[in-house]
């Protein structure tokens, strides 16, 4: 009986860790609105580990352009921000620690970005990328997840800081509509 | 007792899936670039084959590479002819007769398949996992490769196809064999 209890507890703990994940849908833009995507099947899934202070994110694109690179990141809506988010540097800070103001979809807000990876699509336009970020400083973050129109924006080794910095997909969106993530 | 047996069976099944047929290789310096930084002791490429699904899973891990850089990763097959696709990924150039290239004094005929990107963090560390399939049955002779940037044979990047890291190497053509039953 004791063995059954221990095994059952182990299974329950595993199930509990998995159930903390939140799954969101993508929406178009905020820069490009004609990029193909199966919005019903495409998702971004995230979860916070309170014990390790890590944020795990899985970006999934279905029915995008085949054999294409989509850089994925987090856009933080803020007035000031730290120079890094976990192990990733923060982009678009101005005057030291201030967030950059921009207007998209008729909304003006200030934001910064952490570029965390790339989704590479296969012959069907499907691809996925998972990343664990952390330890992240404790706090409450107002976030949109993004997929950019190429790879290399604010990173070495890609297309540079041109049209590939345009935003093809955002979640939740539209511009400025955010998800709140709390790191305890 | 029956419940204990079923639970233990489920746990054993989970354990066997995680550990089955996984192979880990080290990286060596690339056949084009030899000065790209990397912690060769901690960096690796791991792969496993699922016979039931005819899939190949690959995990590319770079430690101590250039920070905040994107490295395209894929597979370089040594072949005479190659199909148009490898699982769900296209063969660069469309398959057919494998073209000859010479690197490190070795001439071989090859086909390249681009699978994804490792994005490094501020410490130069990053990883990428992919599952490829279903793959046509056969024995494949190959090297895993990491390119000096992204966009080679893919849309949305630059054009740097040079090879920074190869596995197993250390010389172009030193290959590993993978069998899909």
């Amino acid at each position: 009986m004791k063995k059954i209890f221990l095994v059952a507890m182990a299974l329950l703990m595993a199930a509990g860790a998995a159930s903390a994940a939140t799954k969101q849908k993508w929406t178009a833009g905020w820069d490009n609105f004609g990029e193909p995507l199966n919005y019903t099947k495409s998702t971004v899934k995230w979860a916070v580990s309170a014990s390790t202070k890590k944020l795990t994110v899985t970006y999934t694109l279905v029915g995008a352009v085949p054999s294409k690179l989509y850089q994925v990141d987090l856009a933080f809506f803020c007035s000031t921000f730290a120079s890094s988010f976990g192990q990733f540097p923060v982009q678009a800070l101005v005057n030291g620690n201030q967030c950059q103001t921009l207007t998209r979809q008729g909304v003006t807000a200030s934001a910064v970005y952490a570029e965390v990876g790339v989704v590479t699509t296969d012959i069907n336009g499907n691809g996925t990328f998972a990343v664990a970020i952390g330890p992240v400083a404790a706090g409450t973050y107002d976030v949109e997840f993004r997929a950019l129109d190429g790879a290399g924006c604010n990173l070495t080794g890609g297309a540079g800081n041109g049209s590939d910095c345009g935003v093809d997909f955002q979640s939740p969106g539209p511009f400025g509509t955010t998800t709140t993530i709390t790191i305890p | 007792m029956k419940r204990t047996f079923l639970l233990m069976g489920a746990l054993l099944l989970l354990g066997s899936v995680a550990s089955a047929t996984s192979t880990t290789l080290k990286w060596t310096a690339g056949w084009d670039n030899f000065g790209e930084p990397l912690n060769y002791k901690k960096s690796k490429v791991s792969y496993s084959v699922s016979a039931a699904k005819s899939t190949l899973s690959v995990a590319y891990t770079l430690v101590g590479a250039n920070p905040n850089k994107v490295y395209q990763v894929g597979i370089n097959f040594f072949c005479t002819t190659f199909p148009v696709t490898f699982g769900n990924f296209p063969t660069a150039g469309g398959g057919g007769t494998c073209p000859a290239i010479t690197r490190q004094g070795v001439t071989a005929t090859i086909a390249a398949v681009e699978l994804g990107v490792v994005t490094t963090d501020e410490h130069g560390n990053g990883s990428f996992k992919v599952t490829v399939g279903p793959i046509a049955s056969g024995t494949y002779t190959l090297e895993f490769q990491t390119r000096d940037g992204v966009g080679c044979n893919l849309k949305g990047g630059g054009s740097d196809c040079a090879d920074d890291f190869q596995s197993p190497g250390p010389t172009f053509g030193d290959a590993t064999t993978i069998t899909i039953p």
Side-chain angles (χ1 to χ4, degrees), chain B residues 97-119:
Chain B
T97 302
C98 301
I101 64 170
T102 301
R103 298 289 188 277
Q104 298 178 279
V106 175
T107 300
T109 52
I110 58 102
V113 174
E114 315 297 339
L115 298 179
V117 175
V118 172
T119 305

Side-chain angles (χ1 to χ4, degrees), chain A residues 65-131:
Chain A
V65 171
S67 304
K68 180 168 176 173
L69 304 163
Y70 293 91
Q71 189 167 308
V72 289
D73 68 7
L74 297 94
F76 301 96
F77 289 79
C78 48
S79 53
T80 61
F81 208 85
S83 59
S84 63
F85 181 71
Q87 73 272 38
F88 291 96
V90 169
Q91 311 293 339
L93 284 166
V94 294
N95 300 322
N97 67 344
Q98 294 176 9
C99 303
Q100 190 177 59
T101 300
L102 73 164
T103 301
R104 296 289 188 278
Q105 299 181 276
V107 175
T108 298
S110 53
V112 294
Y113 316 96
E115 311 298 337
V116 296
V118 176
V119 172
T120 305
T121 55
D122 64 11
I123 53 176
N124 304 307
N126 304 336
T128 186
F129 171 75
V131 63

Side-chain angles (χ1 to χ4, degrees), chain A residues 69, chain B residues 72 92 112 114 145 147 149-155 157-162:
Chain A
L69 304 163
Chain B
Q72 191 166 305
E114 315 297 339
Q145 74 170 145
R147 298 187 188 274
V150 300
C152 187
N153 302 314
L154 293 173
K155 305 177 192 81
S159 58
D160 199 341
C161 293

